Amino acid sequence: MSSARGQANHSLYLARILIAAWRRELSGESVPASVLAQAYLPGIRGHLRNGYGWFLVEITRPGAVPLAPPGCVAELPEVSAGKSVPPEVREFQRLEASGWIADMLATDMPGAVTTASSGNLATPSLSPEPAQAEQWADQLQGLFDRMADSLDEY
């Protein structure tokens, strides 16, 4: 396993730990669900985005592994002359444009609704649940698994 693939798997593992913690906290019912979403969802999405970025590095194999993963396909280094763009990268481009990866990478939180709080300030009222984050993690794992065979052939 290359360093980039190991980093991708580790990021996915960290996301799953946070998802499980979020579920435990929800079951305790001591903190409102919207507050738990604010606490857990950004960290989970950050780990999933890092996992995705490291997997992009694994697919393109740029030579030296960067210090930080790219955030999307557009941040990958240019393909060397004479080489073609891997089909996995083209698939990711489509999913980033309109698909579950676009939702996962979005800077705003899907399902966030802004409500007025005391005074004149607006605070987000989040409706996402751990199930959404778990679905992203499962879909990412599915891509890792499906593409692993072709990557191992390189």
Side-chain angles (χ1 to χ4, degrees):
M1 180 182 310
S2 77
S3 177
R5 191 182 305 185
Q7 290 286 359
N9 289 336
H10 184 68
S11 294
L12 188 57
Y13 174 68
L14 294 175
R16 289 192 186 279
I17 289 171
L18 286 178
I19 292 167
W22 188 3
R23 286 189 186 282
R24 281 191 304 275
E25 287 291 325
L26 275 173
S27 68
E29 298 181 0
S30 62
V31 178
S34 62
V35 174
L36 290 174
Q38 290 174 1
Y40 283 103
L41 190 57
I44 293 167
R45 288 178 76 200
H47 288 306
L48 293 174
R49 284 191 294 251
N50 283 345
Y52 173 66
W54 285 120
F55 198 69
L56 288 174
V57 170
E58 174 66 17
I59 289 169
T60 56
R61 299 187 183 201
V65 176
L67 295 176
C72 61
V73 170
E75 294 178 12
L76 288 170
E78 292 290 323
V79 175
S80 303
K83 287 192 169 188
S84 64
V85 174
E88 295 88 356
V89 171
R90 289 193 298 276
E91 180 178 348
F92 285 139
Q93 284 174 317
R94 286 190 300 275
L95 289 170
E96 283 181 16
S98 63
W100 66 269
I101 291 179
D103 292 338
M104 185 183 74
L105 296 178
T107 55
D108 61 337
M109 293 187 204
V113 178
T114 303
T115 58
S117 65
S118 62
N120 226 2
L121 301 174
T123 58
S125 171
L126 298 172
S127 59
E129 304 250 339
Q132 174 63 68
E134 190 165 40
Q135 183 178 16
W136 288 332
D138 291 345
Q139 289 172 306
L140 205 53
Q141 183 66 61
L143 284 175
F144 289 5
D145 293 345
R146 181 171 54 86
M147 293 179 178
D149 291 338
S150 63
L151 291 176
D152 291 339
E153 291 175 9
Y154 289 134

